[in-house]
Amino acid sequence: MGKILAVIRSSSERQETESQKLEMIQFCNEKGFSNEDIEIIEVAGASARKLNKKYIQMLEDIKSTLLNNNIKYAAFWHLNRLGRNESKLIEMKDFFKQNQIQVYIKYPSIQLLNDDGSLNEGANISWSVFSVMVEKDTEE
């Protein structure tokens, strides 16, 4: 299968990420990846709501890690770990699609691409709906 990039993000320096990390490793294992196949980006203090420097850097690190290491899979515990801003979530979805990177999201359960590398229409709709929901939830 190759390698998978698991992304662990917390919005503050104080938040605990160890349980999210363990869940992500288990989630990747369930998808068929061994522990040795899992690359991890772990970022504390990356506020997706404020779009702070750490968050913007995290997005750039995701892109460069995937492209520079020819990694074709990425995993997130929740869509809101990727972002809380609809435009950034759509931007990242487009990046994944253009580069044929399969994305697995645990909550809500989304697999972005079909087996042939094309965009899964159901996942595309779910991604869009949940992007709006995540942003509205953050505003409230």
Side-chain angles (χ1 to χ4, degrees), residues 14 51 100 107 118 136:
R14 297 182 308 273
L51 302 178
Q100 290 195 316
Y107 303 109
S118 64
K136 295 300 175 197

Side-chain angles (χ1 to χ4, degrees), residues 7-64:
V7 179
I8 305 354
R9 180 188 70 80
S10 68
S11 55
S12 74
E13 299 283 350
R14 297 182 308 273
Q15 280 180 297
E16 172 278 324
T17 58
E18 197 57 33
S19 62
Q20 188 184 142
K21 187 176 181 177
L22 293 173
E23 268 195 67
M24 284 307 303
I25 291 169
Q26 181 182 2
F27 180 61
C28 291
N29 292 158
E30 290 168 4
K31 295 293 179 191
F33 296 91
S34 69
N35 287 4
E36 296 78 33
D37 293 333
I38 303 170
E39 296 284 329
I40 295 176
I41 288 180
E42 189 170 357
V43 184
S47 177
R49 186 170 51 109
K50 297 176 184 173
L51 302 178
N52 68 5
K53 286 181 185 178
K54 280 190 175 184
Y55 175 73
I56 299 301
Q57 185 61 53
M58 180 193 82
L59 295 181
E60 292 307 312
D61 289 347
I62 289 169
K63 292 175 184 176
S64 66

Side-chain angles (χ1 to χ4, degrees), residues 83-97:
R84 291 186 174 270
N85 175 289
E86 182 184 4
S87 66
K88 288 294 180 194
L89 289 168
I90 298 302
E91 174 188 314
M92 289 303 292
K93 180 189 69 171
D94 291 342
F95 166 81
F96 296 134
K97 179 184 172 231

